[in-house]
Amino acid sequence: MFDVALSSAGSYISLATSFDGAFSPDHIIDGKPDSFWLTTGLFPQEFILSFASLANISTVRIHSYNLKNLHVMSSTENKPTNFTKLTSKGTITLLPCIE
């Protein structure tokens, strides 16, 4: 299946609230299983993934540790504005946990 969220498909991170310089938000979409985005600072931590063109998305896959809340939102604007909430999850516990 073609992954429209990868940087190789033309997608890019248009905003990230914080990150460690060695683990940039671009790692979210690089397709490498051994890279990751490391956040710093206060909550909430957010990122905006922008696609190369409009896309119909049927599945969203998140690989993460220690999420407190997850909100998936969408926008069809040329710039990332006027978001619509698609789904939300409360505390998410994933084991084993790396800290």
Side-chain angles (χ1 to χ4, degrees), residues 68-86:
K68 302 298 180 200
N69 295 291
L70 174 67
H71 304 284
V72 177
M73 305 176 84
S74 72
S75 170
T76 57
E77 306 291 328
N78 286 333
K79 293 187 177 188
T81 58
N82 300 320
F83 289 93
T84 302
K85 186 183 288 188
L86 301 176

Side-chain angles (χ1 to χ4, degrees), residues 4-21:
V4 297
L6 292 177
S7 56
S8 60
S11 294
Y12 59 97
I13 302 297
S14 54
L15 173 109
T17 54
S18 69
F19 61 92
D20 179 289

Side-chain angles (χ1 to χ4, degrees), residues 33-95:
D34 59 341
S35 69
F36 54 91
W37 170 42
L38 179 64
T39 61
T40 60
L42 301 174
F43 293 102
Q45 302 299 329
E46 301 176 335
F47 67 89
I48 296 176
L49 172 62
S50 295
F51 298 102
S53 61
L54 285 176
N56 286 322
I57 307 297
S58 61
T59 302
V60 175
R61 230 179 344 206
I62 306 285
H63 299 270
S64 184
Y65 291 99
N66 295 327
L67 288 175
K68 302 298 180 200
N69 295 291
L70 174 67
H71 304 284
V72 177
M73 305 176 84
S74 72
S75 170
T76 57
E77 306 291 328
N78 286 333
K79 293 187 177 188
T81 58
N82 300 320
F83 289 93
T84 302
K85 186 183 288 188
L86 301 176
T87 190
S88 290
K89 290 281 190 179
T91 301
I92 301 166
T93 304
L94 301 172
L95 297 174

